[in-house]
Amino acid sequence: MRPETEPDVRPHAPRLRAPRLAFVAAAFIFLSAFGSGERLFAPSADLWDRWTAHDAASTATVDHAAWDAYLAKHLVVSPNGPNRFRYAQAKADKGALDAYVAALAAQPVSKLARPEQMAYWINLYNALTVKTVLAHDPVDSIRDIDISPGLFADGPWDKKLIAVEGVELSLNDIEHRILRPIWKDGRVHYAVNCASIGCPDLQPKAFRAASLDESLDAAARAYVNDPRGVTVRRNDVVVSKIYDWFIRDFGGNEKGVMAHLKRFADPKLKAALDKVGELDEVQYDWSLNDARS
């Protein structure tokens, strides 16, 4: 979910002299503005042809009941968001999650129909994310789990975590080389969860092919109408960095992002957006979505 080299702004920086302070202030404004330089480092949708294989005539389904049960037991759902996960409690029940992930890894995903594949990849991504956090808990942020290869690695996203059909995959592979380029649907960003407060919520039930459109629309509406997604302050519109990082998935420009937001906005928010002409600032909270917080 995150850009490959997103600048890290830390909360307790030393005092700076005036010229340097002015430079840092200018840099902060630049990074918090819509259209900031962070967009340049966001992963692109780079199709992995290997995973385009599917069987349009297939009626096979994947059993996600174990993921439903795990979420029902450990996810704390808030009517006002964000949903939080009981990581400390879930560690004692880690075997159930491991078994579910192993069952997904054993699936012949290339022989499934497209909608079943999409649900499969979304659920696998979310289960792998929870599994990764559990393996390193306690942490304050998923970005503290620096297991990705490379000298400047940040977080777990590039670490190969699972083998499907004999091919090793990372979280970034699933999101940016499979889900985004194959389906070309911006609603994917509301479905995959990066275990952070600023991210769209981890949903309380598994995604399923039969109800995929409805579930994606519901997740989109929930995030767009939450302050983490969009906030209108007088004439300023503050949006999640997701819309900046992945602007190509939301129409390719600011006008496209605004149209997307209005599509899912409730009447009050839509009326507020109709009165403004542009997006002003971006925000994102990388704090772990931990129920202990």
Side-chain angles (χ1 to χ4, degrees):
M1 179 68 70
R2 55 100 200 160
E4 295 171 353
T5 325
E6 184 194 345
D8 186 11
V9 180
R10 299 190 181 276
H12 299 296
R15 290 186 178 181
L16 304 173
R17 296 187 179 184
R20 189 177 176 192
L21 182 60
F23 173 80
V24 171
F28 179 80
I29 292 171
F30 174 68
L31 293 173
S32 65
F34 191 84
S36 72
E38 289 184 28
R39 186 188 300 173
L40 300 175
F41 303 105
S44 60
D46 184 16
L47 178 64
W48 192 345
D49 288 329
R50 162 69 176 80
W51 300 105
T52 58
H54 65 287
D55 182 357
S58 173
T59 58
T61 59
V62 179
D63 185 1
H64 298 293
W67 185 227
D68 284 338
Y70 201 76
L71 291 167
K73 193 172 182 179
H74 303 297
L75 185 67
V76 180
V77 177
S78 169
N80 300 313
N83 292 347
R84 295 178 182 267
F85 200 82
R86 298 188 181 100
Y87 291 103
Q89 170 185 296
K91 279 194 284 189
D93 193 23
K94 186 173 175 294
L97 179 61
D98 292 343
Y100 172 66
V101 170
L104 292 185
Q107 285 287 334
V109 64
S110 295
K111 296 181 180 179
L112 299 174
R114 272 277 188 260
E116 196 67 35
Q117 286 182 333
M118 189 180 193
Y120 168 93
W121 290 117
I122 291 171
N123 293 327
L124 178 60
Y125 185 100
N126 291 337
L128 278 177
T129 298
V130 171
K131 180 179 167 71
T132 300
V133 174
L134 290 179
H136 297 85
D137 186 69
V139 291
D140 294 326
S141 168
I142 191 172
R143 294 183 67 184
D144 296 334
I145 305 175
D146 292 322
I147 58 175
S148 294
L151 183 61
F152 300 104
D154 177 39
W157 292 280
D158 285 315
K159 172 75 172 178
K160 302 297 184 182
L161 298 174
I162 194 170
V164 177
E165 295 186 353
V167 181
E168 291 191 334
L169 297 168
S170 68
L171 290 169
N172 269 349
D173 289 333
I174 296 172
E175 182 177 5
H176 306 299
R177 302 185 69 193
I178 300 174
L179 280 167
R180 289 177 61 210
I182 291 178
W183 282 275
K184 296 181 175 63
D185 188 336
R187 295 177 301 170
V188 162
H189 296 289
Y190 303 117
V192 294
N193 180 267
C194 66
S196 301
I197 292 296
C199 187
D201 283 328
L202 180 60
Q203 295 300 310
K205 287 187 176 296
F207 285 84
R208 286 179 168 81
S211 55
L212 202 51
D213 268 338
E214 294 89 341
S215 297
L216 291 172
D217 276 353
R221 285 192 297 271
Y223 191 66
V224 168
N225 292 289
D226 186 280
R228 292 170 296 158
V230 184
T231 302
V232 180
R233 301 170 183 163
R234 295 185 180 178
N235 292 323
D236 289 339
V237 183
V238 183
V239 298
S240 167
K241 288 185 179 182
I242 290 173
Y243 302 114
D244 196 2
W245 293 332
F246 305 112
I247 191 170
R248 292 183 180 180
D249 297 347
F250 300 103
N253 53 40
E254 192 170 336
K255 183 178 179 180
V257 173
M258 186 69 83
H260 174 88
L261 297 178
K262 290 179 182 179
R263 173 186 169 191
F264 294 105
D266 62 25
K268 183 178 180 181
L269 176 60
K270 185 178 182 301
L273 292 174
D274 283 337
K275 294 179 181 178
V276 297
E278 61 183 18
L279 307 176
D280 300 284
E281 298 178 41
V282 290
Q283 62 183 359
Y284 202 82
D285 185 350
W286 280 106
S287 302
L288 192 69
N289 62 340
D290 194 341
R292 291 172 294 192
S293 302

